[in-house]
Amino acid sequence: MIAELGLYALILALLVAAVQSTVPLIGAARGEASWMNLAPAAAGAQFALVALSFAALIWLHVTSDFSVLNVVLHSHTDKPLLYKITGVWGNHEGSMLLWTLILALYGLAVALFGKGLPPSLRARVLSVQGMITFGFLLFILMTSNPFARIDPAPVNGNGLNPLLQDPGLAFHPPFLYLGYVGFSMAFSFAIAALIEGKVDAAWARWVRPWTLVAWCALTLGIAMGSWWSYYTLGWGGWWAWDPVENASLMPWLAGTALLHSAIVVEKRDTLKGWTVFLAILAFSLSLLGTFLVRSGVLTSVHAFANDPARGRFILVLLGIVTGGSLVLFAARAGSLKASGIFSPISRESSLVFNNLFLSCAAGTVLLGTLAPLIADALHLGKLSVGAPWFNLVVPLLLAPMLLLMPIGPLLAWKRGDLREALRRARFAGVVAIVTILATLAITHAAAILPALGLGLSAWLLFGSLTEWTRRIGLFKKPLAEAFHSARHLPRSVHGMTLAHIGVAIVLIGITGSLAWQSESLLVMRPGDSATIAGTTLRFISVDENARGPNYSATRALFLAEKGGRTVAVMRPERRLYDNPPEPKANVAIHTNLVSDLYVVLGEADAQGGYVVHLFHNPLVPWIFFGALVMVFGGLVSLSDRRYRIDAPRQAARLPTPAEPRAVTVSLRYALPAVAFLALIGVFFWRLNQTGEGDTPNLVPSVLIGKPAPSFDRPPLYPGKPGFKTSDLKGHVTLVNFFASWCVPCRVEHPMLGLVAKSGITVVGIAYKDKPEAAQSLLAELGNPYARVVTDAGGRTGIDFGVYGVPESYLIDKNGIIRFKATGPLTEDMLKTSILPLSEKLK
């Protein structure tokens, strides 16, 4: 009964969304006030119905109703209550319902807090929001029903992926969705403005708080996801440039640009068309991320689904929402005339510079994420873009923007004085130079790039404080007067300063973690000691029979000592969950807020020892603290009084029917629509290939049934044999490309052991990796390979057509490629594809 109630509520919400999408929009066009006033009521009803449906799904999970397929697939009676609740959005169907709930929540917020908006604008905004909600509700009902029944009902469920049974994953997706979906509000305001043909200071004032809410939520969501990856996956890192990580970073970059561009529209009545375009782009990139995660066009540790049918539906929705908005933009953007002019040296120019580099960074991440997929879809050859490329290109694009950030606020609007701005920032410049020289002196000139990174951080930190201290008169007037000035300074100024300081803190953390991380891999037995970064770790004991609520564990006890005293008690674990029966490492971390001591317990050896992976991660806590400071700065800005009062606008008048406008399409405004439609075409082509069997998990037909490329690779371990093409003859072999920097490789690792136990010879190729790093990974997780070799330059990977790691190739006794899997091997893939095929090949 509860499941049917939830389903009926969704159907009713779909009907309400249809009314919300059409009636107020027509009313705004005809000047019918009663029709426009229907929008807030419809938004409230829609939220109530979607909330009722979401509550029903939570109830079904909490009560373990195994007559519902979604509960069977993602829950279990032994699962703790917290993870029964979070399991609701730990799967495709539930996460889409959460997405739609947040979408309806934003619509309700406009209905409640948008009473100061012009009636026609509010009606159009809520209508556009209703159209988006209608599309997602239709998607859920047609392809992703979370209330589908199963008969007969099983006694118990399959459980939740152990990686998702974590407090960090309880809150990471909701905040991420609050950010993704929050950009729909800026999008709706942009479309409403294009329909009305009016973008002014009042419009920018209305858009900025909604964009700030989305930006804060997305910043927090990304930080929480990075934190989860850091302490859960046991790899010592916090960002891997996974395609789905990139999909969250792209709308964040576009949203950051939008926040700054809207300031120019509000203050100077210029950059109107560009700001509207950014509003469209930020939400479109959010939708693109949804498509990538749920369509099956790429494989990621974060992917929710790999269903081409769902992918086609989302692609149609993406085409209608983004394609339609870009066509409208091409038709109307030319009429958005800017009245403000400014010189090349001005605050406006600095914000344009900011937008330029943020947009280039977003485009670079988009290109790096999609280029391999596009090349594969068009059979242009294999292209691999990994972390080394992103780590090189993205910082080069963002460094000039960070260099200018302290100068921009010191420049005047319209026409600035660069010499005067540099004079005011001279103290920050001196601190930056001293920081660089001190770092070089301490490291004996061995850390030039880290010194520049810390110098840039110091420049940004003290440069951000320069404008704030100047505005309150600190050091120029009595402290009481400066404090009084600070109290009366607009909160947006405080928020901007805090956000920029947060960026500086994040940059310090990134620099320190990349430059001075140290690690040690060793086999330890109870009673042994090891030293890393001046801290001694004593292995006290190990309990091989520890129990948790739904798992068994091998739990070690370490004492961290420094200067003769104990500074931390650390208990790393290796867990084996009851259902599903999958292993998971539980990292022990001790932090002093300046650095982290990070201990990973690996597998046991035959002599009673355990592989222990130790990391000393300097300044990593600053990354997450800096992100919190950025979010706090955004919230302070959001509390500015200007966002709590009505924006100035022309005298109110009764709504009248919209006058017809001549449509003139400029080529420069049409280019985004043309480029997007071309991209949609590639995606449809890729999905059609998937439907015909040419999926990302299969080698293109020109390689299937062909001999493996010729190769001869040296061994990973000195003194061990290498591996060459002729060694493939005589037995069925799974060739697996992996890397220590690859997070999905860690997720896949238990599956390789199952493949080896089935009698298949498993050969590992460390792809574009340092030998010592690959050795550390295998020592920590265990070595399932019969032989392990290196491919540091990636030549063999190119010959095989490696898309990205992990990738696996099943090769028969004659050296003929029979199957390829891109992305982590899964239990389902083993049961349905690899193991049955290997039996035939044997």
Side-chain angles (χ1 to χ4, degrees):
M1 178 64 185
I2 298 296
E4 285 69 31
L5 177 64
L7 181 61
Y8 294 155
L10 279 183
I11 295 172
L12 288 175
L14 180 72
L15 298 176
V16 172
V19 173
Q20 181 182 334
S21 304
T22 53
V23 175
L25 192 64
I26 297 171
R30 298 176 56 180
E32 294 283 350
S34 59
W35 289 28
M36 290 188 285
N37 291 336
L38 183 64
Q46 184 188 120
F47 173 77
L49 290 168
V50 177
L52 175 62
S53 180
F54 191 72
L57 187 59
I58 291 179
W59 178 264
L60 294 171
H61 274 258
V62 170
T63 59
S64 297
D65 186 343
F66 296 119
S67 67
V68 177
L69 181 61
N70 185 269
V71 181
V72 173
L73 294 177
H74 307 289
S75 191
H76 191 274
T77 52
D78 293 338
K79 197 166 63 169
L81 177 62
L82 173 64
Y83 302 133
K84 286 185 177 181
I85 296 173
T86 60
V88 171
W89 54 80
N91 60 87
H92 166 71
E93 293 81 5
S95 67
M96 289 310 304
L97 188 54
L98 175 63
W99 175 289
T100 308
L101 175 66
I102 295 173
L103 198 57
L105 175 63
Y106 275 110
L108 176 66
V110 173
L112 294 177
F113 304 115
K115 296 177 181 178
L117 294 172
S120 61
L121 180 64
R122 183 172 70 162
R124 289 187 170 106
V125 167
L126 287 175
S127 286
V128 174
Q129 199 73 5
M131 292 177 192
I132 300 170
T133 310
F134 179 87
F136 278 98
L137 286 169
L138 192 63
F139 171 68
I140 292 173
L141 291 170
M142 293 186 67
T143 70
S144 309
N145 179 12
F147 300 106
R149 294 282 191 180
I150 182 172
D151 188 27
V155 176
N156 219 323
N158 296 343
L160 183 67
N161 185 333
L163 289 174
L164 303 181
Q165 297 188 41
D166 182 89
L169 262 292
F171 305 103
H172 160 60
F175 279 107
L176 203 63
Y177 289 179
L178 276 169
Y180 280 154
V181 179
F183 286 125
S184 69
M185 291 311 310
F187 174 87
S188 296
F189 271 96
I191 299 304
L194 287 174
I195 294 174
E196 290 191 349
K198 182 181 179 182
V199 173
D200 55 13
W203 177 87
R205 177 82 62 85
W206 291 317
V207 166
R208 282 194 69 204
W210 299 106
T211 306
L212 258 176
V213 170
W215 183 87
C216 290
L218 188 56
T219 302
L220 186 58
I222 292 173
M224 292 180 71
S226 178
W227 178 55
W228 168 81
S229 174
Y230 174 66
Y231 77 79
T232 298
L233 299 181
W235 64 305
W238 42 269
W239 190 266
W241 294 107
D242 179 275
V244 179
E245 289 177 333
N246 297 349
S248 67
L249 181 61
M250 289 184 290
W252 185 87
L253 291 169
T256 305
L258 172 61
L259 275 176
H260 292 82
S261 180
I263 297 173
V264 181
V265 177
E266 180 182 354
K267 298 289 187 181
R268 298 289 301 138
D269 196 41
T270 190
L271 297 186
K272 295 180 179 181
W274 172 248
T275 303
V276 168
F277 174 71
L278 283 176
I280 295 172
L281 182 66
F283 184 56
S284 298
L285 289 173
S286 298
L287 291 179
L288 179 63
T290 302
F291 168 73
L292 294 176
V293 175
R294 302 168 196 275
S295 64
V297 298
L298 55 79
T299 306
S300 165
V301 66
H302 305 278
F304 273 107
N306 292 285
D307 184 355
R310 289 171 174 167
R312 289 191 186 93
F313 195 107
I314 297 176
L315 195 56
V316 170
L317 182 60
L318 181 62
I320 293 173
V321 173
T322 303
S325 62
L326 289 176
V327 169
L328 180 62
F329 174 78
R332 292 291 178 85
S335 64
L336 302 177
K337 302 298 183 182
S339 61
I341 57 174
F342 52 90
S343 75
I345 305 298
S346 62
R347 190 174 297 190
E348 295 95 322
S349 292
S350 71
L351 292 170
V352 170
F353 194 82
N354 157 290
N355 272 226
L356 173 65
F357 282 94
L358 284 172
S359 302
C360 287
T364 299
V365 175
L366 178 65
L367 177 64
T369 304
L370 296 184
L373 187 150
I374 294 171
D376 187 45
L378 301 179
H379 296 295
L380 300 177
K382 289 293 180 177
L383 179 65
S384 178
V385 179
W389 185 83
F390 287 109
N391 287 335
L392 174 65
V393 177
V394 175
L396 287 176
L397 287 171
L398 292 181
M401 182 201 73
L402 296 173
L403 199 60
L404 188 64
M405 275 177 63
I407 298 297
L410 297 174
L411 295 172
W413 293 104
K414 193 173 182 180
R415 183 180 298 277
D417 187 339
L418 181 59
R419 181 175 298 179
E420 175 63 18
L422 291 174
R423 189 191 65 80
R424 291 175 180 172
R426 64 186 181 278
F427 177 74
V430 171
V431 174
I433 293 172
V434 170
T435 301
I436 294 172
L437 294 177
T439 305
L440 291 174
I442 293 171
T443 61
H444 305 289
I448 296 177
L449 288 178
L452 293 176
L454 291 181
L456 182 59
S457 303
W459 163 253
L460 179 55
L461 176 62
F462 286 91
S464 299
L465 289 170
T466 298
E467 166 67 0
W468 182 79
T469 57
R470 185 187 69 84
R471 294 190 65 166
I472 68 172
L474 192 64
F475 310 125
K476 291 185 177 180
K477 60 174 73 170
L479 190 61
E481 291 185 24
F483 179 72
H484 181 269
S485 299
R487 287 185 58 190
H488 290 83
L489 202 63
R491 292 184 184 177
S492 60
V493 176
H494 296 302
M496 176 196 71
T497 304
L498 284 169
H500 288 186
I501 289 174
V503 174
I505 296 172
V506 169
L507 184 57
I508 292 172
I510 291 174
T511 301
S513 67
L514 294 179
W516 296 298
Q517 181 190 65
S518 56
E519 61 179 300
S520 178
L521 182 72
L522 60 163
V523 175
M524 298 181 68
R525 296 171 180 81
D528 290 350
S529 297
T531 301
I532 184 170
T535 302
T536 299
L537 277 158
R538 289 200 297 121
F539 192 173
I540 303 301
S541 63
V542 62
D543 181 1
E544 296 184 341
N545 299 301
R547 281 293 306 177
N550 61 336
Y551 61 85
S552 58
T554 298
R555 181 178 299 146
L557 174 63
F558 287 83
L559 293 182
E561 299 175 341
K562 197 165 187 176
R565 64 185 184 88
T566 299
V567 295
V569 177
M570 308 184 73
R571 295 184 175 86
E573 297 180 355
R574 288 188 63 82
R575 295 178 178 178
L576 179 64
Y577 282 78
D578 300 331
N579 202 317
E582 295 181 9
K584 175 179 176 287
N586 212 50
V587 178
I589 301 176
H590 168 67
T591 183
N592 59 10
L593 302 182
V594 175
S595 63
D596 285 348
L597 184 62
Y598 188 103
V599 183
V600 185
L601 183 67
E603 293 190 338
D605 64 11
Q607 289 76 41
Y610 290 85
V611 174
V612 178
H613 204 171
L614 307 177
F615 291 89
H616 177 255
N617 295 325
L619 299 176
V620 165
W622 289 47
I623 298 174
F624 308 117
F625 175 68
L628 292 177
V629 173
M630 291 167 63
V631 172
F632 181 66
L635 294 177
V636 171
S637 293
L638 194 62
S639 68
D640 194 301
R641 180 176 178 272
R642 292 180 302 162
Y643 302 135
R644 302 195 305 271
I645 61 175
D646 293 347
R649 58 181 186 269
Q650 294 178 350
R653 58 185 177 87
L654 292 175
T656 57
E659 298 177 1
R661 298 181 180 88
V663 177
T664 57
V665 179
S666 171
L667 179 60
R668 60 173 177 165
Y669 295 127
L671 283 177
V674 174
F676 174 77
L677 292 175
L679 183 62
I680 288 290
V682 172
F683 283 146
F684 264 117
W685 178 259
R686 175 73 264 183
L687 289 175
N688 287 335
Q689 290 175 323
T690 301
E692 295 170 1
D694 181 12
T695 72
N697 289 331
L698 295 177
V699 177
S701 58
V702 294
L703 293 181
I704 287 288
K706 300 294 184 181
S710 177
F711 65 93
D712 186 357
R713 303 310 312 166
L716 178 66
Y717 298 98
K720 298 289 185 180
F723 199 80
K724 54 185 180 295
T725 308
S726 59
D727 295 330
L728 294 168
K729 300 294 179 68
H731 42 76
V732 178
T733 305
L734 185 79
V735 176
N736 174 254
F737 287 84
F738 72 98
S740 63
W741 44 263
C742 161
V743 175
C745 296
R746 292 175 170 269
V747 178
E748 171 191 65
H749 204 77
M751 298 298 105
L752 296 174
L754 297 178
V755 174
K757 290 178 181 179
S758 71
I760 299 174
T761 301
V762 184
V763 175
I765 299 181
Y767 179 69
K768 293 185 178 181
D769 205 1
K770 297 178 181 178
E772 59 272 18
Q775 292 172 13
S776 298
L777 175 74
L778 296 180
E780 175 192 330
L781 301 180
N783 186 357
Y785 302 114
R787 294 195 199 180
V788 197
V789 297
T790 64
D791 183 24
R795 180 69 258 176
T796 301
I798 292 173
D799 292 340
F800 268 85
V802 169
Y803 173 81
V805 285
E807 275 194 13
S808 302
Y809 298 79
L810 190 66
I811 302 173
D812 68 15
K813 295 180 180 181
N814 298 312
I816 306 299
I817 294 177
R818 297 299 182 183
F819 182 83
K820 171 189 172 184
T822 296
L825 298 176
T826 63
E827 189 173 355
D828 182 65
M829 193 185 298
L830 296 188
K831 290 179 180 178
T832 60
S833 300
I834 293 177
L835 297 184
L837 180 56
S838 68
E839 289 299 320
K840 293 179 182 179
L841 297 176
K842 290 177 183 179

